[in-house]
């Protein structure tokens, strides 16, 4: 399949630069594959579109305030993105404007007394940073970090005073497992009230964890999808989720993936094996004409052109249907990408 088949023109003003005033006030496009129908709703309509007995599968990954700024002794500014803490005090990071010559005395801009040193440069372009002190990375980032908003959000993310708001809104209300550098955005629309309504309807919820990495924003640059090297992401399944998934499969209940990250975990599990608690990694790349094994419905946001995520949507509904859905969403002025609106695909 050619990558340019996943291209489309999006008016820049439809790229959401901030979230809706209320989480569940976002719009919701509803597509039924059986009839090809498209309806325009709001997110609070979702519970009425589900079936009693549905199992909704969420990704409970929590986004880290992973962006930070370092200063050289010369005053030079280095932008950083935390990826992982390999051992205590050793961070795997991406750095911008670091330059060629190592500077062995860097200071965190928002906490100058906290020092760091670059101790290694890896072949994949990542750096290893030694951070002084004995505090865990998560504690330090809580003080010096900012939320890692995607690059298509163009407002000034350092100086506009919105980071405290982003810490709430670029995070699902059920996030509990820290480690992601991007949000599982389909879940951003849920509120405690919507979740309570689902509970009252007998609609069950299972929580998986997949830590979203930078690869989610990586465009497909190869001419064909087969030529793309898919990124690897870590996931985990706890005993409660495994039990719910096995019961749903045994009772022939519909499994609804909340977001493409949940869908990737579900489809990564072998169809002939029962679910078991544990952890693993997935590099599954879903694109037409993929044969789906477990996902019976999908809730997702609108995705970037030429991305692995729009390829997944095309695999779910069909390429021509995906194009029609996106064409309609643009005509109807839906908001796109992370802080944008959602669609429910049956």
């Amino acid at each position: 399949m050619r990558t340019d088949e996943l291209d489309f023109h999006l008016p820049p003003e439809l790229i959401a630069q901030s979230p809706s005033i209320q989480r569940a006030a976002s719009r919701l496009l509803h597509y039924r594959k059986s009839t090809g129908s498209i309806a325009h709703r709001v997110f609070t309509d979702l519970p009425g579109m589900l079936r009693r007995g549905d199992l909704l599968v969420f990704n409970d990954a929590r986004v880290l305030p992973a962006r930070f700024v370092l200063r050289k002794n010369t005053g030079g500014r280095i932008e950083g993105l935390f990826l992982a803490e390999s051992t205590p005090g050793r961070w795997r990071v991406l750095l911008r404007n670091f330059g060629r010559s190592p500077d062995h005395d860097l200071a965190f801009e928002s906490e100058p007394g906290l020092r760091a040193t670059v101790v290694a440069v890896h072949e994949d372009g990542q750096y290893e940073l030694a951070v002084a002190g004995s505090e865990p990375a998560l504690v330090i980032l809580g003080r010096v970090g900012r939320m890692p908003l995607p690059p298509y959000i163009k407002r000034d993310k350092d100086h506009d005073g919105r980071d405290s708001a982003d810490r709430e809104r670029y995070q699902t209300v059920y996030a509990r497992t820290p480690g992601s550098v991007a949000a599982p955005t389909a879940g951003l629309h849920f509120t405690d009230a919507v979740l309570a309504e689902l509970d009252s309807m007998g609609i069950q919820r299972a929580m998986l964890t997949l830590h979203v990495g930078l690869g989610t924003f990586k465009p497909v640059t190869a001419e064909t999808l087969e030529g793309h090297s898919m990124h690897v992401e870590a996931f985990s399944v706890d005993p409660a989720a495994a039990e719910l998934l096995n019961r749903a499969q045994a009772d022939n209940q519909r499994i609804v993936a909340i977001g493409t990250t949940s869908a990737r975990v579900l489809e990564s599990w072998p169809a002939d094996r029962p679910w078991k608690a544990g952890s693993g990694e997935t590099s599954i790349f879903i694109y037409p004409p993929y044969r789906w094994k477990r996902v019976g419905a999908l809730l997702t946001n609108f995705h970037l052109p030429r991305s692995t995520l729009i390829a997944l949507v095309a695999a779910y509904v069909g390429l021509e249907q995906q194009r029609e859905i996106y064409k309609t969403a643009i005509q109807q002025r839906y908001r796109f990408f992370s802080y944008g609106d959602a669609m429910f695909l049956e």
Side-chain angles (χ1 to χ4, degrees):
M1 181 177 175
R2 297 195 323 274
T3 303
D4 61 12
E5 294 182 84
L6 297 172
D7 211 351
F8 64 93
H9 171 69
L10 179 68
E13 66 271 17
L14 297 186
I15 300 174
Q17 297 297 304
S18 50
S20 59
I21 296 175
Q22 296 178 328
R23 286 180 184 268
S26 52
R27 297 171 69 192
L28 181 65
L29 184 149
H30 183 199
Y31 173 77
R32 283 195 177 98
K33 188 173 182 178
S34 60
T35 62
S37 64
I38 295 176
H40 306 291
R41 305 180 184 275
V42 293
F43 193 80
T44 49
D45 293 334
L46 178 66
M49 297 153 64
L50 298 170
R51 308 170 188 168
R52 190 175 191 85
D54 278 349
L55 175 62
L56 273 56
V57 180
F58 294 82
N59 180 5
D60 70 358
R62 189 169 188 84
V63 184
L64 300 173
R67 295 178 68 249
F68 58 89
V69 175
L70 298 169
R71 288 285 184 181
K72 299 180 181 181
N73 288 329
T74 59
R77 190 173 189 269
I78 302 170
E79 297 178 16
L81 181 73
F82 173 88
L83 300 176
E85 187 172 34
S86 51
T87 58
R90 292 294 182 97
W91 295 11
R92 275 269 189 154
V93 300
L94 295 179
L95 297 177
R96 180 187 295 175
N97 302 327
F98 178 64
R100 294 178 179 272
S101 300
D103 190 323
H104 296 288
D105 188 21
L106 303 171
F108 284 85
E109 183 179 63
S110 58
E111 193 174 317
L114 182 63
R115 318 299 289 189
T117 304
V118 174
V119 294
V121 183
H122 299 281
E123 292 182 359
D124 57 5
Q126 297 179 14
Y127 294 80
E128 191 165 343
L129 199 65
V131 180
S134 58
E135 292 181 299
L138 296 186
V139 174
I140 294 174
L141 289 169
R143 298 197 307 270
V144 306
R146 290 181 175 274
M147 293 302 275
L149 298 183
Y152 45 73
I153 295 181
K154 301 297 185 181
R155 56 183 167 84
D156 190 331
K157 296 178 277 290
D158 283 322
H159 303 295
D160 64 2
R162 297 192 202 177
D163 185 64
S164 59
D166 288 323
R167 287 194 183 212
E168 177 191 1
R169 294 300 302 275
Y170 195 62
Q171 198 83 270
T172 63
V173 297
Y174 49 81
R176 66 183 183 187
T177 309
S180 286
V181 297
T185 56
L188 296 179
H189 310 280
F190 285 88
T191 62
D192 290 333
V194 171
L195 294 174
E197 185 176 356
L198 295 175
D199 290 341
S200 70
M201 296 172 60
I203 294 172
Q204 296 181 303
R205 306 199 304 270
M207 294 289 177
L208 308 173
T209 303
L210 182 139
H211 287 308
V212 188
L214 285 178
T216 193
F217 298 117
K218 183 181 178 182
V220 180
T221 56
E223 290 187 4
T224 65
L225 297 183
E226 290 84 353
H228 178 70
S229 179
M230 189 66 177
H231 58 282
V232 178
E233 291 173 320
F235 71 86
S236 60
V237 181
D238 66 21
E243 181 180 353
L244 286 167
L245 285 162
N246 285 327
R247 190 185 311 156
Q249 297 258 161
D251 295 343
N252 200 30
Q253 294 172 329
R254 185 171 66 163
I255 296 176
V256 180
I258 304 302
T260 56
T261 58
S262 296
R264 291 184 69 224
V265 176
L266 290 166
E267 293 298 312
S268 296
W269 202 266
D272 57 350
R273 282 173 46 195
W275 287 88
K276 292 183 179 179
S279 59
E281 293 182 333
T282 179
S283 59
I284 189 171
F285 184 12
I286 298 175
Y287 58 89
Y290 179 79
R291 186 184 180 98
W292 292 80
K293 304 187 297 285
R294 298 183 183 273
V295 175
L298 174 65
L299 178 78
T300 185
N301 279 21
F302 295 93
H303 302 295
L304 292 164
R306 291 176 174 254
S307 65
T308 60
L309 303 182
I310 197 171
L312 184 150
V313 172
Y316 196 71
V317 297
L319 179 60
E320 292 304 319
Q321 292 87 341
Q322 175 266 311
R323 289 173 173 170
E324 184 62 28
I325 289 169
Y326 273 61
K327 178 183 176 181
T328 301
I330 292 170
Q331 290 174 342
Q332 295 294 320
R333 310 295 289 177
Y334 277 76
R335 286 157 43 93
F336 274 63
F337 306 158
S338 293
Y339 270 155
D341 297 313
M343 53 183 166
F344 183 53
L345 308 173
E346 296 191 89

